[in-house]
Amino acid sequence: MSALDLARWQFGITTVYHFLFVPLTIGLSFLVAGMQTAWVRTGNDKYRRMTKFWGKLFLINFAMGVATGIVQEFQFGMNWSDYSTFVGDIFGAPLAIEGLLAFFLESTFLGLWIFGWDKLPKKLHLATIWIAAIGTVLSAYFILAANSWMQHPVGSIVNPTTGRAELKDFGAVLTNSTAVGAFAHTITACFLTAGMFVVGISAWQLRRQRNADVFRPSMKLALVTVLIASLGVIVTGDLQARLMTEQQPMKMAAAEALYDTVAPASFSLFTIGSLDGSQEKFSIRVPGVLSFMATGTFDGRVEGINNLQAQEQQAYGPGEYRPDVPVTYWTFRLMIGFGFLCLLISLVGLWLFRRGRTPRARWFFPVATAGLALPFLANSVGWIFTEMGRQPWSVFGVLKTAGSVSPTVPASSVLTSLIVFTLLYGVLAVVDGVLMVRYAKAGPLPPEGPAAESDEPRPAAFAY
């Protein structure tokens, strides 16, 4: 493999790994804040136990997210120096604000929340977790604004003398329509992830009839969260599809493996054919749906890969402008499929738990527990689709990926760091998994009062 291929693999592996933690941190911070708000308003001890239990898992996840996120920024300098030189003027502002304001905000107030139990007044302590949660959202926005500039560069010009992009309108970068659309889609996905996380662990505990007073309300809160977030993901995903068609039509065509321009365009649920699109052996299609996703009308025209390839050659010169179509096609479908399965679990769960009932269908609990993995898979393949579908561009229409890699770093060095990071992240995955399982099995703290004085041994737990 070349240094470029290895650098792309390294960035993909480390970023997908890091992105396992980010959506859960953002969504779970708000769920924990909501649980604590319920405790402060009602004084009901079950909400305090819910807050403490889910708060422990939130903190483990937050710590892992921070540790793995640091590597991301180092990679720009290590393997992507030409890219860093080109985008430095643009990325500097949003990433600096993210680090100095948003991350500082969430870290500081999260620290106050951890050490403020029984020391700060209840309402002031509650405010710290809300401010930390708001900090996670702000942090996400500035990161997405930087990434969205790569998808749709606005508010800047390329200086032909220096060969660098120069910032002309920071407001345009922050209000980039791609950033606004990506933020709405990502945040709703964060709530979906956190909701399914709570659903999965609550189902595991309820199946064993443990602490139903804590996990039953946790399950109901999470199921409602997943239902609302799933609908939000669908709506924002639809808006993003139209933006994508307008700004990156090749990505939309590759997502459908649509080689020839058609109107109206059907949506392929499942297709088997040749990789170049010359033959379609089997396909299940829904008429007009792709036209609606791309244009908002059921008979809209959708450009095909062949036409777009010719147009981009005319605009940017000879070259290959088609992304990896099979990867783009399947990651797009897997992202949507995993998301709809989450919606289905939430609908079934809310039906089974209606009017205070306890589900008699024992099959639901293992299904709900297994469903915990669905949003993480959806987030990962969604990110792969977004980034792979943009190829061969690092910054769409301006800078190619092949021109972004560090020219003086040999493939052997990239391979070494790739192996080190992969092994290190493997160890971190084991540590994180062990901690999560241990504290999920340990369950919540005992109720306050006489029961708290029980001498019954409990699994180890950290205090905060």
Side-chain angles (χ1 to χ4, degrees):
M1 284 187 178
S2 66
L4 172 62
D5 294 330
L6 292 168
R8 290 183 65 187
W9 271 104
Q10 183 178 127
F11 194 83
I13 291 171
T14 54
T15 303
V16 166
Y17 187 81
H18 175 61
F19 200 54
L20 293 175
F21 304 101
V22 175
L24 181 58
T25 293
I26 295 172
L28 201 52
S29 66
F30 280 92
L31 290 185
V32 171
M35 293 170 188
Q36 186 169 347
T37 301
W39 173 54
V40 170
R41 287 179 62 86
T42 66
N44 192 323
D45 188 55
K46 72 179 179 183
Y47 295 122
R48 179 190 66 85
R49 297 169 67 207
M50 287 169 62
T51 304
K52 292 255 183 179
F53 174 75
W54 297 110
K56 288 176 187 174
L57 299 178
F58 161 66
L59 291 175
I60 294 170
N61 187 75
F62 178 83
M64 291 295 291
V66 171
T68 56
I70 292 172
V71 175
Q72 299 308 107
E73 298 192 14
F74 279 117
Q75 281 194 83
F76 291 136
M78 289 190 302
N79 296 339
W80 303 99
S81 60
D82 279 3
Y83 167 82
S84 300
T85 301
F86 184 82
V87 306
D89 195 42
I90 312 297
F91 270 35
L95 294 186
I97 295 174
E98 190 273 337
L100 295 175
L101 176 62
F103 183 67
F104 176 80
L105 195 70
E106 61 182 301
S107 301
T108 301
F109 282 91
L110 193 57
L112 289 172
W113 185 68
I114 294 169
F115 298 106
W117 282 95
D118 304 322
K119 296 180 180 62
L120 295 174
K122 275 188 178 180
K123 291 186 178 178
L124 182 59
H125 184 248
L126 174 62
T128 61
I129 186 64
W130 277 109
I131 295 173
I134 292 169
T136 65
V137 171
L138 290 175
S139 182
Y141 190 83
F142 288 113
I143 294 291
L144 287 171
N147 180 271
S148 296
W149 183 83
M150 297 163 62
Q151 310 283 345
H152 183 225
V154 296
S156 62
I157 62 167
V158 177
N159 187 324
T161 304
T162 62
R164 300 175 67 241
E166 295 182 353
L167 183 64
K168 292 299 178 186
D169 186 351
F170 186 51
V173 174
L174 291 183
T175 58
N176 187 347
S177 57
T178 310
V180 175
F183 177 74
H185 193 58
T186 303
I187 293 302
T188 49
C190 292
F191 281 100
L192 175 63
T193 304
M196 285 303 297
F197 179 79
V198 175
V199 165
I201 294 176
S202 297
W204 189 87
Q205 291 279 4
L206 289 173
R207 186 185 181 192
R208 286 156 180 76
Q209 300 181 343
R210 295 176 180 173
N211 298 292
D213 58 328
V214 167
F215 290 110
R216 185 182 177 82
S218 295
M219 172 72 96
K220 294 190 72 171
L221 169 66
L223 287 170
V224 172
T225 301
V226 172
L227 175 61
I228 296 173
S230 297
L231 298 176
V233 167
I234 293 171
V235 172
T236 56
D238 180 57
L239 295 175
Q240 264 206 308
R242 290 174 202 174
L243 272 177
M244 184 171 67
T245 305
E246 176 186 332
Q247 298 168 355
Q248 298 182 41
M250 180 65 87
K251 184 188 289 187
M252 189 63 183
E256 184 60 20
L258 183 68
Y259 283 83
D260 298 314
T261 301
V262 292
S266 59
F267 179 77
S268 159
L269 292 175
F270 181 84
T271 295
I272 298 176
S274 59
L275 295 180
D276 62 358
S278 59
Q279 293 183 343
E280 182 176 290
K281 299 178 180 178
F282 175 77
S283 185
I284 302 174
R285 294 182 171 277
V286 184
V289 171
L290 179 59
S291 286
F292 183 79
M293 290 172 63
T295 66
T297 63
F298 285 99
D299 58 354
R301 172 188 169 97
V302 183
E303 296 284 342
I305 293 172
N306 294 332
N307 285 358
L308 292 168
Q309 166 69 13
Q311 291 174 18
E312 297 206 12
Q313 280 187 329
Q314 188 172 12
Y316 305 114
E320 177 61 81
Y321 295 94
R322 290 173 291 198
D324 189 317
V325 175
V327 170
T328 310
Y329 176 87
W330 285 110
T331 51
F332 187 57
R333 267 140 200 83
L334 290 172
M335 174 184 67
I336 295 173
F338 290 141
F340 271 101
L341 286 176
C342 294
L343 173 61
L344 181 61
I345 289 175
S346 70
L347 289 172
V348 173
L350 286 172
W351 173 257
L352 294 175
F353 277 90
R354 70 190 186 281
R355 298 176 183 174
R357 298 179 184 178
T358 298
R360 295 181 180 178
R362 301 291 296 175
W363 58 266
F364 174 73
F365 294 110
V367 169
T369 302
L372 189 154
L374 291 173
F376 294 95
L377 293 171
N379 294 335
S380 297
V381 295
W383 182 85
I384 292 171
F385 163 72
T386 300
E387 301 305 307
M388 289 289 287
R390 188 181 64 233
Q391 299 303 316
W393 301 103
S394 280
V395 181
F396 187 77
V398 179
L399 177 68
K400 288 186 176 179
T401 306
S404 305
V405 72
S406 299
T408 58
V409 178
S412 57
S413 296
V414 183
L415 178 61
T416 301
S417 57
L418 170 61
I419 294 172
V420 170
F421 282 136
T422 303
L423 292 176
L424 177 62
Y425 277 24
V427 172
L428 287 176
V430 173
V431 172
D432 181 68
V434 169
L435 288 174
M436 282 289 191
V437 171
R438 172 178 295 182
Y439 289 110
K441 283 184 175 179
L445 296 171
E448 285 188 331
E453 298 173 359
S454 171
D455 292 331
E456 183 180 348
R458 284 175 46 78
F462 65 79
Y464 57 91

